[in-house]
Amino acid sequence: MGEIVHTTRSHIVRESGPTRKAVIEGFDGVIHYGVHGGIKKFYKVEPKEEYPATLDHMVSAIAA
């Protein structure tokens, strides 16, 4: 088994409905996750404010 080079530590809290906020250790600020566009239609929810979904972040990270 290889050497562990990094362990991500984050704290995620649900604010309301599909909206969550995350704090990643070592970085300032908060990241909001939620729904928008076709995702909110799929889940049949209308958030107070639209945010990128976790899927958006995953795809962006993998594509980088």
Side-chain angles (χ1 to χ4, degrees):
M1 183 171 174
E3 177 184 351
I4 297 172
V5 296
H6 177 73
T7 300
T8 299
R9 291 184 173 84
S10 64
H11 185 76
I12 300 174
V13 176
R14 173 171 276 168
E15 290 187 318
S16 65
T19 303
R20 299 168 310 284
K21 64 180 180 182
V23 176
I24 299 173
E25 184 179 283
F27 294 90
D28 293 332
V30 173
I31 300 169
H32 285 93
Y33 296 109
V35 294
H36 62 92
I39 298 171
K40 71 179 185 180
K41 287 180 183 176
F42 178 80
Y43 287 111
K44 299 177 182 169
V45 295
E46 189 60 47
K48 292 179 185 173
E49 191 169 348
E50 295 185 9
Y51 291 107
T54 51
L55 179 61
D56 296 313
H57 287 270
M58 291 172 56
V59 169
S60 297
I62 293 168

